[in-house]
Amino acid sequence: MEWSPPIAQRYKINYDAATFVEDNQAGLGVVIRNSEGHAMASLTQQIPLPTTMIEIEALAARRAMELALELSLDNITLEGDNETLFKALKNRDTSLAMHGHLIKDILFLSSYFSTFNVSFVRRQCNPLAHSLACKTKSLPLMTVWMDTVPPDLVSVLQADLSSLP
């Protein structure tokens, strides 16, 4: 399985998180691509390490939604590799779990888009977002790249594009 682009006139937003337990930090990675697979924007952000992995993934998803809104994008698919988060968003489950407020935030932000879908993929189909999340270890400030990805990750983007029909 490989990354697949969204349908025409839509954007796919891939997100992921990485943990750096020894530094008590986590990294968020986001990439927004159009139907041709071209990067519209990418983001890395280091944050203090939350308690659970689901919280970290939910924070990455929320940051992805915020970036899409900041760029005035519409018609989006939010795609990540955490199945628990995917199911909570798909079922609109705003439980009382520690991450329930983050699910509520994401669902609230989703109301600003004409079309909002969630998608689950395995880690191997989300390599660019994962690489961005890992990059925060050496790039601790929040950084956004417009119309591209960091130069050292262009090969990861190209690998995704080379698999497209």
Side-chain angles (χ1 to χ4, degrees):
M1 298 261 326
E2 296 153 339
W3 181 84
S4 63
I7 61 174
Q9 308 302 317
R10 293 209 181 171
Y11 298 95
K12 185 175 277 187
I13 306 169
N14 289 84
Y15 66 91
D16 204 4
T19 59
F20 314 113
V21 177
E22 66 282 359
D23 298 328
N24 203 30
Q25 298 291 316
L28 311 179
V30 176
V31 61
I32 301 175
R33 291 183 267 194
N34 65 14
S35 60
E36 295 165 3
H38 299 295
M40 307 305 293
S42 57
L43 172 144
T44 60
Q45 182 176 358
Q46 192 179 95
I47 62 170
L49 186 64
T51 308
T52 64
M53 196 63 206
I54 184 77
E55 285 178 277
I56 303 166
E57 292 280 344
L59 287 166
R62 184 176 68 183
R63 188 64 190 98
M65 297 288 287
E66 290 167 348
L67 180 61
L69 284 170
E70 289 164 0
L71 298 175
S72 299
L73 300 180
D74 203 14
N75 302 315
I76 65 165
T77 297
L78 183 66
E79 185 170 81
D81 57 25
N82 186 290
E83 193 168 9
T84 303
L85 180 58
F86 163 73
K87 287 178 180 177
L89 291 170
K90 184 174 176 159
N91 297 329
R92 303 185 72 77
D93 179 15
T94 57
S95 71
L96 297 177
M98 288 178 61
H99 60 277
H101 68 289
L102 297 170
I103 303 295
K104 283 183 182 177
D105 285 353
I106 295 165
L107 292 173
F108 173 75
L109 293 173
S110 74
S111 68
Y112 287 94
F113 299 96
S114 298
T115 306
F116 171 75
N117 295 303
V118 292
S119 176
F120 168 74
V121 292
R122 298 281 175 211
R123 167 69 54 87
Q124 63 267 25
C125 299
N126 203 23
L128 186 51
H130 181 71
S131 297
L132 286 160
C134 291
K135 187 170 183 58
T136 64
K137 176 104 171 141
S138 61
L139 191 66
L141 301 176
M142 185 183 75
T143 307
V144 176
W145 293 264
M146 294 303 300
D147 299 318
T148 190
V149 297
D152 59 323
L153 297 181
V154 168
S155 62
V156 180
L157 175 65
Q158 289 173 336
D160 281 347
L161 295 176
S162 70
S163 67
L164 299 180

